[in-house]
Amino acid sequence: MIKTYYDAEVSYLKENFAYVLVIGTTDVSLIPGITIAGATPELTHFTPAADAEYVILGKCKSINTIPVSPNGIPTPALLTRASLSFINPLKLVVNAGSRIIPKIPFIDLHGEPGKDIRRQALTIQKTNEILENGIRLGEELSNNFKLIVIGESIPAGTTTAMATLLALGYDAMGKVSSASPENPKELKRKVVEEALRNLPPDLIGKIAKVSDPVLLGVAGISLGFKGKILLAGGTQMIAASAIIKEFDKNKLQDITIGTTKWVVEDRSADMLGLSRQVNVKVLASMIDLTISAFDGIRAYEKGYVKEGVGAGGASIMAFMRGITNDMLVKRIDEYYSHLVSNLKGSNIS
Amino acid sequence: MIKTYYDAEVSYLKENFAYVLVIGTTDVSLIPGITIAGATPELTHFTPAADAEYVILGKCKSINTIPVSPNGIPTPALLTRASLSFINPLKLVVNAGSRIIPKIPFIDLHGEPGKDIRRQALTIQKTNEILENGIRLGEELSNNFKLIVIGESIPAGTTTAMATLLALGYDAMGKVSSASPENPKELKRKVVEEALRNLPPDLIGKIAKVSDPVLLGVAGISLGFKGKILLAGGTQMIAASAIIKEFDKNKLQDITIGTTKWVVEDRSADMLGLSRQVNVKVLASMIDLTISAFDGIRAYEKGYVKEGVGAGGASIMAFMRGITNDMLVKRIDEYYSHLVSNLKGSNIS
């Protein structure tokens, strides 16, 4: 149930690991039509906190139910929680800069929410602080772990990823994925083109202008960590890898991206082409949700959502430990039906 | 180099562990003369953040040098960092409610700084939040660890500890230790007596009135954790144990206090009598600093500082791994001389 690209290895994935979820927001998600990671543009700012709460608690506190798309497709945090339930690793939520703070214990990187990249995403000072505190956290985690899995939650993160890849010189226009089956490529292109005007010449200036706090948090933790890293995410993790490469070329030897087949097979994007450009290895979870009992879950097979909250990487870790697709989908369905029945209950009462 | 009391065992201390430092402040430390954990009453609010920075980074960012007493005796964070340097465990800084936020990655329990216990230390809501988030963090740490060591940094914490023990019905007046060789017992008694007036009848009401965020954070994490716990601290950890006992009587079976000989031998206090009242086991580090090359370090043998930042527990963990007193004091002296020479350097430049 795992497909490998570019000589990616899998044996070390059996090591004991910590699952690190980096959350943040970017005001790019407020642009109508750019993301479906929330029922409305305003609600996208609640999605990362609610995702983190769901992964840790099995319920959300910042919103009434789990994050859904405008047409009700549930957050990939559901897939992540189901996958990790078979493993029970240490889970750490890291706030790199989220407008809404999760109502659970979380690690603070002293970041700030990302602003609109058409103006200025982050201050230079906060860019440096997120990177430095991420490095420090990664170093500290090295004292106990030889492997970490890093997931992300940031609506509109593929748009900031595309801007970041282009700012760093990669051929990325129109090549990032989307949580929607109808990738809003024209809108993303317009936003990114405007963001890339008057780009500063220096590296920190560039990423402060067009990236987001999650990309910096993921890059910082990876730069500081001294073992193997599975970056659990889609085209956003290629942008994180590109930032990592700017600071430490050799680091990519220890890094593999773990994502879903839906991202790799997304014909509106070019996951494999982009990862080849940056030279980062890729694994894809071949999770099959066609056997789910629920429309909302089977919708993933039609290109909805695709990835997020480390869903691809978490399912890869479950598969590596002998969990079958049947077992995993059964658990996803159990969790989903529990959420749906709770929702009905709260409507009645 | 370890003395055991009340059938305390030590074999499990060889397990892999995480070192958790819970920090916070109480406005009780602003009362002149009540604590020497800072060069001035106002600076005591910087001590927990600076202690955390020193343990993680080996230098402080919130103040220019490490915390010192009014007469220049250095923080026990120095002993902690030296002890842990032989072991290199995962170190997690937990902010339960500190006026000054440490400039490093830290875990946020959504607490608040403790106010003066003569009025009201904490709101009921924040008391519950710190406990609940502590429990959640303890549960999460259980996924990867069978043993945790919890240290604390909160100036004037022995006064809030005494108030908490008395509020919970223990015979504690005048029995808590002090960072000063001249325990300001009369001042502490007056503050605590005033704090205990009009005490609410319920448990949460009592601890919200007279405790502090660190006691609640330590208690919460301990209540949630499913393995063995070394509470690294002095008489404050007896108050934390008393809170734990109110919520879960059986929990104390898994808990041992690890402190220093200076606290156990403090004739102005009654560490062993208090721990017998609460029924919690005690270990004492028999660390001997008379062989140090520095006056500031040898001052510990004259009753200065005595404990804090988990110094006693951290040195116990080092001794359990074959580190000798000579090795440990040599490392402490190295770190101290490094700090002193840096200080001289910054004066010249």
Side-chain angles (χ1 to χ4, degrees), chain B residues 148 150 218 222 229-233 237 240-241 244 255-259:
Chain B
I148 54 175
I150 311 182
V218 172
S222 302
I229 301 164
L230 187 71
L231 293 181
M237 288 307 185
S241 302
I244 293 164
I255 292 177
T256 304
I257 294 177
T259 188

Side-chain angles (χ1 to χ4, degrees), chain B residues 199-222:
Chain B
L199 205 60
D202 63 302
L203 174 62
I204 295 290
K206 281 177 185 159
I207 56 181
K209 174 76 175 67
V210 304
S211 77
D212 65 53
V214 166
L215 286 176
L216 299 176
V218 172
I221 296 166
S222 302

Side-chain angles (χ1 to χ4, degrees), chain A residues 217-280:
Chain A
V218 172
I221 296 166
S222 302
L223 285 163
F225 189 70
K226 295 186 184 76
K228 296 282 184 189
I229 301 164
L230 186 70
L231 294 181
T235 42
Q236 287 163 256
M237 289 305 186
I238 302 175
S241 302
I243 296 173
I244 293 163
K245 195 177 181 179
E246 293 288 328
F247 288 96
D248 182 356
K249 239 185 221 167
N250 296 323
K251 196 77 205 178
L252 291 190
Q253 291 170 5
D254 294 323
I255 292 176
T256 304
I257 294 177
T259 188
T260 64
K261 66 173 192 191
W262 304 302
V263 171
V264 169
E265 295 169 359
D266 179 3
R267 294 178 63 181
S268 79
D270 186 13
M271 175 79 198
L272 295 177
L274 282 176
S275 49
R276 185 179 282 277
Q277 280 188 57
V278 177
N279 204 18
V280 60

Side-chain angles (χ1 to χ4, degrees), chain B residues 43 54 62-64 93 96 98 106 108 161 184 189 209 216 231 257 263 275-276 301 316-317 327 334 344:
Chain B
L43 278 173
Y54 182 70
S62 293
I63 55 178
N64 280 333
V93 170
S98 178
F106 67 88
D108 195 326
R189 190 185 56 73
K209 174 76 175 67
L216 299 176
L231 293 181
I257 294 177
V263 171
S275 49
R276 183 178 284 279
E301 295 290 347
I316 286 170
M317 296 308 269
M327 291 162 77
E334 270 170 29
K344 280 181 187 152

Side-chain angles (χ1 to χ4, degrees), chain A residues 16 56-57 88-91 101-110 133 136-137 140-141 143-145, chain B residues 16 56-57 88-91 101-110 133 136-137 140-141 143-145:
Chain A
N16 182 42
I56 298 293
L57 303 176
N88 245 346
L90 176 65
K91 299 179 290 293
I101 299 300
K103 296 181 197 286
I104 46 171
F106 67 87
I107 299 177
D108 196 325
L109 292 190
H110 301 260
N133 281 313
R136 178 54 59 179
L137 175 60
E140 195 58 48
L141 291 173
N143 289 345
N144 201 77
F145 296 98
Chain B
N16 182 43
I56 298 292
L57 303 176
N88 244 346
L90 176 65
K91 300 179 289 293
I101 299 300
K103 295 180 196 290
I104 47 172
F106 67 88
I107 298 177
D108 195 326
L109 292 189
H110 301 260
N133 282 313
R136 178 54 60 176
L137 175 61
E140 195 58 48
L141 291 173
N143 289 346
N144 201 79
F145 296 98

